[in-house]
Amino acid sequence: MVISRIDSHAGSWYSDEQQSLAKELNKYFSQTTQVPQNKKVKAIISPHAGYKFSGKTAAHGFATIKESNNLANIRNVFVLGPCHRVYLDDQCAVSRCEQCNTPLGAIKVNQLIIKDLIEKYPDIFVTFKDKKYEEDEHSLEMQFPFIAHVFKERLKDIQIIPIMVGSLSKDILKTVGQLLSPYLDDEETLFVISSDFCHWGKRFSYQFVYNTNVPLYESIKQLDMLGVDKITKNVNNPDEYYNYMKKYKNTICGKNPILILLYSLNNSNNWMNDINMEFLYYDQSSQARDVQRDSSVSYVSIALYK
């Protein structure tokens, strides 16, 4: 019997009906503008909120993949996202499932790569005994329908490697980046890094105002874009982004998956030079204006390509 990860957020965070979901995704793709085309894409940073909030932003990254010149070569997709419901201390949880279900079809999980990671690095890569912990986590699941949609013509040829990234020390972040760098160099591998950006407001316990001279929502955007600059303009120096997070404590939930990508690039043989880390799109769930009453979540799309 095949062990399947149930698409537990279908029907609430996105449509659980195949045609309806495909139509919704096509709408988001139609709203993308000026995405890089005919590039060799290696990674994207993509949001993971309900599609009505972040679908358009996510579509910009996946459109870059869809329009890439290496789409037909991709066989494995690493999907790295933060843990929202389970605490992992200096560990990453890999999937024990054989496939991940979506309304657009199931995506196979590459258990050969997962078993190799566990066997070689058992102190870092672990699995949950109960797959419910995987199914509760939305940061990975929200990427799966987009992956199924982009690779719909050959979905059976694609395998994913879902990794839930825990609370990692800087040394472990560097280590995981180093361990994943050979996969980054693999011509048949793509990385999807799942992260929302600033979670602002009382309910998120974060009310830092970066610039008091502009509307609150613009201040939040400026803080986020400073982080985007640290990612896109300092690819060879991940500590710039690490120090930004340490200084401002911006509530970017996927900060560790992002840092793993950056540290992996630092250990890469093929993706150190002549690369582009390009900002594609930014959005917010709402425009926060009142410091005491309002809240918002920010969404960013970024692509790494040659």
Side-chain angles (χ1 to χ4, degrees):
M1 183 177 177
V2 176
I3 303 175
S4 299
R5 183 202 184 280
I6 303 302
D7 43 354
S8 59
H9 294 78
S12 53
W13 292 50
Y14 58 93
S15 175
D16 58 357
E17 199 277 318
Q18 181 180 8
Q19 290 186 349
S20 176
L21 178 57
K23 182 178 179 180
E24 182 180 8
L25 293 178
N26 282 329
K27 179 186 74 173
Y28 297 136
F29 279 105
S30 72
Q31 295 171 345
T32 60
T33 57
Q34 298 180 337
V35 297
Q37 297 190 1
N38 202 33
K39 303 294 185 181
K40 185 178 182 181
V41 179
K42 175 52 63 176
I44 63 170
I45 297 174
S46 177
H48 53 238
Y51 286 173
K52 68 177 181 180
F53 298 109
S54 67
K56 180 179 178 180
T57 304
H60 280 75
F62 282 100
T64 306
I65 297 170
K66 191 176 180 181
E67 300 299 328
S68 68
N69 62 23
N70 62 321
L71 179 67
N73 298 331
I74 300 301
R75 295 290 182 273
N76 293 299
V77 183
F78 279 76
V79 187
L80 279 67
C83 300
H84 289 88
R85 296 181 176 272
V86 179
Y87 181 76
L88 293 171
D89 186 12
D90 272 347
Q91 290 182 319
C92 297
V94 288
S95 180
R96 65 186 297 270
C97 298
E98 297 169 275
Q99 67 179 31
C100 293
N101 293 348
T102 85
L104 304 178
I107 313 173
K108 289 182 290 186
V109 175
N110 192 323
Q111 281 296 334
L112 288 178
I113 290 179
I114 286 175
K115 288 175 182 177
D116 188 54
L117 290 172
I118 294 173
E119 289 175 2
K120 290 181 178 178
Y121 317 107
D123 293 336
I124 295 177
F125 295 101
V126 299
T127 57
F128 296 120
K129 291 182 179 180
D130 189 342
K131 70 185 181 75
K132 177 183 182 297
Y133 294 109
E134 292 184 50
E135 293 168 344
D136 286 345
E137 179 53 59
H138 65 274
S139 70
L140 302 181
E141 180 180 331
M142 300 308 290
Q143 311 303 327
F144 298 158
F146 271 101
I147 293 171
H149 188 73
V150 168
F151 292 99
K152 61 185 177 182
E153 300 300 329
R154 55 186 193 90
L155 190 56
K156 292 182 179 180
D157 298 331
I158 299 299
Q159 296 189 82
I160 56 175
I161 302 90
I163 302 178
M164 292 168 57
V165 178
S167 179
L168 309 184
S169 66
K170 188 175 184 179
D171 286 343
I172 297 297
L173 283 167
K174 290 182 175 180
T175 298
V176 176
Q178 183 178 6
L179 298 179
L180 295 184
S181 62
Y183 299 104
L184 190 79
D185 283 339
D186 189 332
E187 294 290 324
E188 297 184 344
T189 298
L190 175 75
F191 277 69
V192 174
I193 307 299
S194 181
S195 182
D196 292 337
F197 268 60
C198 186
H199 298 63
W200 199 97
K202 275 187 178 180
R203 67 191 182 104
F204 300 118
S205 300
Y206 189 77
Q207 292 177 284
F208 172 70
V209 179
Y210 178 71
N211 184 352
T212 59
N213 296 317
V214 298
L216 179 57
Y217 63 87
E218 185 62 34
S219 170
I220 296 169
K221 182 176 181 178
Q222 289 179 5
L223 176 64
D224 281 330
M225 292 307 298
L226 178 61
V228 168
D229 283 349
K230 297 299 181 182
I231 295 168
T232 59
K233 297 179 181 179
N234 298 275
V235 176
N236 294 324
N237 187 8
D239 286 349
E240 285 287 325
Y241 177 64
Y242 181 90
N243 292 333
Y244 158 85
M245 290 299 300
K246 188 174 181 180
K247 179 178 180 179
Y248 294 105
K249 297 179 173 55
N250 193 357
T251 45
I252 300 174
C253 54
K255 64 176 182 179
N256 284 343
I258 292 171
L259 281 165
I260 287 173
L261 173 65
L262 296 176
Y263 285 126
S264 186
L265 283 169
N266 260 215
N267 288 275
S268 169
N269 292 318
N270 302 336
W271 286 85
M272 280 290 290
N273 302 307
D274 300 322
I275 61 174
N276 294 280
M277 184 80 85
E278 182 177 340
F279 162 73
L280 302 176
Y281 194 75
Y282 178 88
D283 202 0
Q284 295 174 341
S285 60
S286 61
Q287 289 190 340
R289 298 174 185 273
D290 188 292
V291 174
Q292 296 302 319
R293 293 183 300 179
D294 291 349
S295 64
S296 69
V297 180
S298 307
Y299 313 115
V300 168
S301 182
I302 295 172
L304 170 68
Y305 63 85
K306 286 185 178 180

